[in-house]
Amino acid sequence: MTSPRSARFMAAVLTLVLVVVSTGCGVVRRESMDRAGDDTFEGDVRTARTLTEEFWRLQFQESGRTYRPINDFIPYSGRFGPSCGDQPAVPNNAFYCPLGHFIAFDQDWMESLWSEMGDGSVYVIIPHEFGHAVQAQLRTGYQLNIQMELQADCYAGAALSGMVASGALAAEEGDEEELLYSLAAAGDPTDDWLDPSAHGTAEQRQRSFAAGYQNGVTAC
């Protein structure tokens, strides 16, 4: 399950796919990334899920495997979300639950990011959680939480890059540099790989996401 620190990281990575323009009236959202023009929160969530699963379906197919779609995709509000084993849902979070093979997200939190910063939020948060779903299917054998999180970051970068390359999403030159700059303020304060809640330092997260975005799944 994604921790609050991971949720903060997700907010930071929005700058890969959007540039926040400050004006005297506040924050102005950029044009929709969705080339189909469905510029609504619900539409972007639906598109992010659809495109991410299609990306992984094709990746699995190319490697001779069969991708198993998640069983459910659950929006919730605050603490009123599904539990994953003995871990309850928490506000301002998104998570993958291997026990039920589902993804859940705090809809109010994600929609506030969408409204304030742009639709890029859902195209980063959702692919990250699907990264964990892919790990479960591949039975990735990492023992440390930080290894799982950094690989999920890499998978998210690869998936987002694939969406852009397919022409389904739009991105502008320089967005990746904006991402890396923003990630300087994210990540763990120390490089403690044995901490069970560790997610990686800012530099490690930058490197993992960028590796996937630039070089694809094989870099993960």
Side-chain angles (χ1 to χ4, degrees):
M1 184 177 294
T2 304
S3 73
R5 179 181 294 152
S6 181
R8 289 195 295 273
F9 162 69
M10 289 305 166
V13 300
L14 306 189
T15 49
L16 172 64
V17 290
L18 60 94
V19 174
V20 177
V21 181
S22 297
T23 69
C25 298
V27 176
V28 177
R29 291 201 311 118
R30 288 176 58 187
E31 293 183 7
S32 173
M33 289 182 62
D34 187 351
R35 290 192 182 276
D38 190 355
D39 192 17
T40 65
F41 171 70
E42 293 79 9
D44 283 321
V45 169
R46 182 170 55 250
T47 299
R49 174 188 180 179
T50 301
L51 292 181
T52 304
E53 290 217 276
E54 177 62 12
F55 172 82
W56 285 112
R57 186 188 69 78
L58 293 174
Q59 291 293 318
F60 272 56
Q61 180 177 294
E62 290 176 4
S63 64
R65 297 172 177 265
T66 299
Y67 174 75
R68 183 165 64 95
I70 57 172
N71 292 331
D72 210 347
F73 191 66
I74 307 171
Y76 67 90
S77 180
R79 298 186 181 278
F80 300 99
S83 296
C84 182
D86 60 356
Q87 297 189 48
V90 298
N92 303 335
N93 198 24
F95 64 92
Y96 165 70
C97 179
L99 298 178
H101 191 46
F102 68 82
I103 288 173
F105 59 95
D106 184 336
Q107 180 172 258
D108 299 333
W109 166 67
M110 193 182 294
E111 187 167 9
S112 71
L113 293 177
W114 183 91
S115 298
E116 295 170 10
M117 301 186 70
D119 60 355
S121 55
V122 300
Y123 294 109
V124 176
I125 296 172
I126 290 174
H128 176 90
E129 299 309 332
F130 271 103
H132 288 308
V134 168
Q135 290 170 334
Q137 293 189 55
L138 296 178
R139 298 183 180 180
T140 305
Y142 293 137
Q143 295 182 343
L144 302 179
N145 189 68
I146 188 173
Q147 295 174 307
M148 299 291 286
E149 289 298 330
L150 291 178
Q151 186 180 57
D153 291 341
C154 185
Y155 280 165
L160 183 57
S161 180
M163 296 177 208
V164 173
S166 73
L169 299 183
E172 295 183 2
E173 185 177 355
D175 282 351
E176 186 173 345
E177 287 72 19
E178 291 289 335
L179 160 74
L180 299 179
Y181 177 78
S182 255
L183 286 179
D188 298 334
T190 61
D191 186 13
D192 184 1
W193 280 60
L194 297 181
D195 183 342
S197 65
H199 284 61
T201 65
E203 181 181 0
Q204 289 165 343
R205 285 182 172 277
Q206 289 172 336
R207 188 165 56 245
S208 294
F209 194 99
Y213 191 81
Q214 294 171 349
N215 302 309
V217 172
T218 56
C220 305

